[in-house]
Structure formats: structure tokens, C-alpha cells
Amino acid sequence: SWVSNHHGGTIALVNPQDGTISGAIPVAPVGPDGAQNLATDGSSVWVGIPGADAIVRTSIASHAITSSVRGAESPCGPD
């Protein structure tokens, strides 16, 4: 299962059987504007970054950010 560490600016894969974390992937700045909600399609993890008004796509295979979508509205919804 994938989780976000909002203030750490990372996402990580957690083993649901024993709770171990297999590594954190930096996707956002550290602090209050870091990674928030996320979704996965099996090959990528999409995560909202409110401080950047963006949603970033991270490859599960390479652990690299492969694209981002910027919008006029925060990924958290309207203010």
C-alpha cells in the first residue's frame, strides 16, 4: 500500500503484512505544502502537491517523477 508523508514531502510503499516501509521517494518540498492525497494505477503513483498546485506522477518501477499536471486549483479542492 502506498502512503504519503505530508510534512516529509515523500511517498512510500508499506508492506501491509508487517508494516515495513520499503523506502521513501521525494515528490514534494518538506513542510506544510508537501505530498497529500494519492492514487495508484499499478504502474504509477499520482500524488497531490498543494504547495505547487500540482499533481505529480511517479513511476513505481523507477521511483522517478515522470510528469506533473498543474492547474489553477489546488489538488485539495477550492479554497
Side-chain angles (χ1 to χ4, degrees), residues 8-70:
T10 61
I11 59 173
L13 182 61
V14 177
N15 182 324
Q17 294 179 320
D18 63 13
T20 57
I21 298 173
S22 63
I25 304 167
V27 294
V30 173
D33 292 329
Q36 286 197 341
N37 302 325
L38 57 81
T40 182
D41 62 10
S43 62
S44 299
V45 178
W46 297 82
V47 59
I49 313 296
D53 285 335
I55 299 170
V56 297
R57 179 183 185 185
T58 304
S59 165
I60 291 173
S62 69
H63 291 186
I65 294 174
T66 57
S67 63
S68 65
V69 177
R70 296 192 181 272

